[in-house]
């Protein structure tokens, strides 16, 4: 099946540091979404991207839709303890106009105060 | 975004039994989805719940094991049938099309 390769799998950083994670695929994606999942909760949508090259920010979070439409990255600036959680990229393949989301494997972020 | 609730929030079930999970949305939505998240894993789509027609299942998931109902535009159920320990997972419903919003999940443990 279609796969999204998300890296890194986990990160241990100091509070105040910047974080970067990315997703790549061999397939072309129509949309890219970034989610955060806290323990015991469902994923929460952070950022949605719709156009190749699009760069979107949400507070300290910035995400970009890769020019080739096969990748996306998420940056978190000046991390704080509440950034701890699992971050997932997800996307719609070009032939799924909305509907099925393909998810990356997740990046588990730990922030040391 | 819509407010989505799921019941139960968690359950521990015996092997061979069935559990029905409910998903309620506070507004009418066209598309609802059911996902499975196995322990420590990512999310995998089980099926798309269509109002007024049968659900559309993804490869590896079958109606006999995961029957779905969608009686109206605000509600859906997923049943996990004849459960085995391998069915222990978080089951999540979502709504939306390009942007999908998730419920809090149902944590199922099968013993």
């Amino acid at each position: 099946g279609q796969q999204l390769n998300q890296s890194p799998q986990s990160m241990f950083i100091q509070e105040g540091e910047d974080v970067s994670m990315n997703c790549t695929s061999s397939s072309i994606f129509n949309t890219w979404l970034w989610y955060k999942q806290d323990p015991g909760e469902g994923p929460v949508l952070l950022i949605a991207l719709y156009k190749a090259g699009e760069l979107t920010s949400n507070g300290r979070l910035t995400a970009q839709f890769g020019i080739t439409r096969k990748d996306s990255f998420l940056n978190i600036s000046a991390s704080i303890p509440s950034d701890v959680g699992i971050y997932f990229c997800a996307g719609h393949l070009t032939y799924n106009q909305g509907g099925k989301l393909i998810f990356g494997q997740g990046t588990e972020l730990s922030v040391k105060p | 975004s819509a407010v989505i609730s799921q019941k139960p929030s968690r359950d521990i079930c015996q092997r061979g039994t069935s559990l029905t999970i409910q998903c309620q949305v506070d507004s009418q939505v066209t598309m609802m989805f059911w996902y499975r998240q196995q322990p420590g894993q990512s999310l995998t789509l089980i099926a798309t719940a269509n109002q007024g027609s049968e659900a559309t299942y993804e490869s590896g998931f079958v109606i006999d094991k995961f029957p779905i109902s969608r009686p109206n535009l605000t509600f859906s159920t997923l049943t996990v049938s004849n459960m085995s320990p391998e069915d222990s997972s978080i089951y999540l419903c979502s709504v939306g099309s390009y942007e999908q919003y998730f419920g809090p999940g149902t944590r199922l443990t099968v013993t």
Side-chain angles (χ1 to χ4, degrees), chain A residues 70-83:
Chain A
K70 295 181 179 181
D71 63 315
S72 176
F73 71 74
L74 174 71
N75 287 343
I76 305 173
S77 63
S79 58
I80 58 179
S82 62
D83 291 334

Side-chain angles (χ1 to χ4, degrees), chain B residues 87-107:
Chain B
D87 293 320
S88 297
S89 295
I90 302 171
Y91 292 87
L92 297 134
C93 66
S94 74
V95 303
S97 55
Y98 290 100
E99 295 183 13
Q100 286 187 24
Y101 299 92
F102 285 83
T106 295
R107 278 141 195 84

Side-chain angles (χ1 to χ4, degrees), chain A residues 21-33:
Chain A
M21 59 192 78
N22 69 82
C23 275
T24 61
S25 175
S26 57
S27 300
I28 294 174
F29 279 74
N30 230 15
T31 56
W32 285 96
L33 307 173

Side-chain angles (χ1 to χ4, degrees), chain A residues 34-78:
Chain A
W34 285 92
Y35 289 89
K36 179 179 182 240
Q37 186 174 30
D38 291 326
E41 305 287 334
V44 173
L45 181 62
L46 300 173
I47 291 180
L49 302 158
Y50 296 100
K51 296 180 188 174
E54 179 181 354
L55 185 72
T56 297
S57 293
N58 178 5
R60 293 179 295 105
L61 278 60
T62 301
Q64 184 158 30
F65 192 141
I67 287 288
T68 64
R69 298 171 68 190
K70 295 181 179 181
D71 63 315
S72 176
F73 71 74
L74 174 71
N75 287 343
I76 305 173
S77 63

Side-chain angles (χ1 to χ4, degrees), chain B residues 9 27 58 60 67-68 70 88:
Chain B
S9 58
S27 58
E58 296 297 310
I68 287 171
R70 179 85 196 271
S88 297

